[in-house]
């Protein structure tokens, strides 16, 4: 028997520090963002059948300023304005739904996410206030920020990023495009308990592999500490290079800042 299905794109933001990433885990004791979203949906939708699909996954402790997932609802359409209010009332305090809009069956949340922007917040030197730990990573060593800024430019363009991914699938495509990669003083996210000086790595591109940005940040930390040089970094992006990157930067400094969708098929 044919069932009517309704499709919705929901944007949300969350503080990831207490979650074991986006994706729901088999171990029930591991809290995930997807798990909390689905638990809330089950509560407010009652007996209405639904499924969810995200535009991508974030790792444990990674936050999102603007993420998105698609909600598939069977048979009964949503009254979107009232749904958004009730959804937010029942979500935990560290997850907030920003918007909802109806899409059609041709919309593909994975293939139509054409641009993602990530930020990585960090400071160095004196240990900051503990409240900053949920959003910012502190490196106790002195960092050469100017050299790190030069290194960040090397990632811009289409490069071979096999040295910047973890546990790739046999069919993984290692050539990826990075449209923006820059380090600048952090004026984007501020708080009175943040250190006086902090920095942000801003990275944009159509898609990234597992741990790619955290390995890029780890390489830049190594560069800033003098553990590797610009030549090593540049050569690590050449196909077949054995210039491996081993420092995976801590996940708590990473924020999925925005996702832009291509609305055309």
């Amino acid at each position: 028997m044919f069932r009517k299905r309704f499709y919705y794109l929901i944007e949300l933001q969350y503080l990831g520090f207490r979650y074991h990433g986006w994706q729901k885990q088999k171990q029930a004791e591991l809290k995930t963002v997807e798990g909390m979203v689905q638990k809330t949906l089950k509560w407010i939708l009652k007996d209405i059948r639904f499924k969810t699909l995200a535009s991508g996954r974030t790792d444990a402790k990674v936050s999102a300023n603007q993420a998105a997932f698609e909600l598939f609802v069977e048979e009964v359409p949503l009254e979107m304005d009232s749904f958004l209010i009730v959804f937010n009332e029942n979500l935990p305090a560290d997850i907030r739904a920003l918007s909802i809009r109806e899409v059609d069956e041709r919309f593909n949340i994975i293939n139509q996410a054409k641009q993602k922007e990530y930020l990585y917040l960090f400071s160095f030197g004196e240990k900051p206030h503990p409240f900053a730990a949920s959003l910012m990573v502190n490196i106790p060593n002195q960092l050469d920020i100017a050299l790190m800024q030069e290194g960040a430019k090397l990632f811009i363009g289409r490069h071979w990023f096999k040295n910047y991914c973890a546990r790739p699938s046999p069919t993984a495509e290692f050539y990826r495009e990075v449209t923006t990669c820059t380090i600048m003083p952090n004026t984007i996210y501020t708080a009175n308990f943040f250190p006086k000086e902090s920095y942000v790595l801003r990275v944009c591109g159509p898609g990234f592999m597992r741990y790619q940005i955290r390995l890029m940040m780890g390489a830049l930390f190594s560069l800033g500490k003098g553990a590797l040089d610009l030549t090593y970094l540049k050569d690590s992006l050449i196909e077949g290079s054995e210039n491996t990157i081993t420092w995976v930067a801590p996940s708590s400094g990473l924020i999925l800042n925005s996702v832009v969708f291509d609305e055309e098929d």
Side-chain angles (χ1 to χ4, degrees):
M1 182 178 177
F2 176 75
R3 288 179 177 271
K4 175 72 173 175
R5 174 177 280 189
F6 299 89
Y7 307 82
Y8 302 94
L9 180 66
I10 298 176
E11 294 184 340
L12 75 167
Q13 55 191 185
Y14 52 85
L15 179 65
F17 197 65
R18 75 183 183 107
Y19 294 105
H20 199 77
W22 167 268
Q23 188 177 21
K24 192 174 181 179
Q25 302 292 318
K26 293 180 180 179
Q27 303 96 315
E29 69 275 10
L30 297 178
K31 288 186 178 181
T32 67
V33 180
E34 182 182 40
M36 294 303 299
V37 165
Q38 291 183 353
K39 182 178 180 180
T40 305
L41 288 170
K42 286 179 183 178
W43 173 255
I44 64 177
L45 294 179
K46 307 300 182 186
D47 296 326
I48 299 174
R49 297 176 60 193
F50 71 89
K51 292 197 305 183
T52 61
L53 179 65
S55 61
R57 304 169 185 173
T58 50
D59 298 328
K61 297 188 178 183
V62 174
S63 298
N65 177 60
Q66 184 229 331
F69 71 94
E70 193 169 2
L71 174 63
F72 307 88
V73 177
E74 302 288 349
E75 297 184 338
V76 182
L78 299 178
E79 203 298 303
M80 290 186 287
D81 290 341
S82 60
F83 167 83
L84 194 66
I85 293 170
V86 175
F87 191 33
N88 271 319
E89 286 176 348
N90 287 275
L91 282 169
D94 48 10
I95 304 176
R96 180 173 73 155
L98 298 171
S99 65
I100 179 173
R101 60 185 174 88
E102 190 169 6
V103 293
D104 60 33
E105 69 276 7
R106 296 172 298 170
F107 182 80
N108 185 312
I109 193 169
I110 296 175
N111 293 341
Q112 289 178 239
K114 67 176 184 179
Q115 182 86 347
K116 294 182 179 180
E117 179 187 54
Y118 283 90
L119 304 177
Y120 194 100
L121 305 182
F122 68 95
S123 63
F124 67 91
E126 182 180 356
K127 190 171 185 177
H129 194 291
F131 289 0
S134 61
L135 286 171
M136 182 178 295
V137 167
N138 176 259
I139 303 299
N141 312 79
Q142 185 72 23
L143 295 177
D144 186 335
I145 296 297
L147 184 61
M148 293 171 66
Q149 289 171 329
E150 288 299 308
K153 295 176 185 177
L154 297 177
F155 291 121
I156 299 173
R158 185 171 174 82
H159 301 290
W160 188 74
F161 279 98
K162 186 176 181 180
N163 289 320
Y164 295 86
C165 69
R167 300 190 296 276
S169 70
T171 58
E173 172 54 58
F174 297 120
Y175 274 96
R176 299 288 174 130
E177 182 180 5
V178 173
T179 57
T180 301
C181 190
T182 184
I183 291 176
M184 54 192 175
N186 171 38
T187 58
I188 301 173
Y189 291 101
T190 59
N192 61 7
F193 51 81
F194 278 2
K196 290 182 179 179
E197 291 185 350
S198 62
Y199 299 87
V200 58
L201 171 73
R202 177 172 176 258
V203 183
C204 302
F208 301 94
M209 294 178 290
R210 181 174 174 82
Y211 292 177
Q212 181 179 338
I213 295 175
R214 290 170 59 195
L215 280 160
M216 291 165 61
M217 189 73 254
L220 293 171
F221 282 151
S222 295
L223 181 68
K225 289 171 58 179
L228 56 82
D229 58 23
L230 289 172
T231 299
Y232 187 97
L233 196 64
K234 185 176 182 179
D235 290 348
S236 70
L237 297 167
I238 299 172
E239 184 171 355
S241 169
E242 296 183 358
N243 287 13
T244 57
I245 305 300
T246 57
W247 188 353
V248 182
S251 56
S252 55
L254 187 59
I255 299 170
L256 172 57
N257 201 47
S258 64
V259 182
V260 177
F261 292 98
D262 184 355
E263 300 298 334
E264 298 180 357
D265 292 335

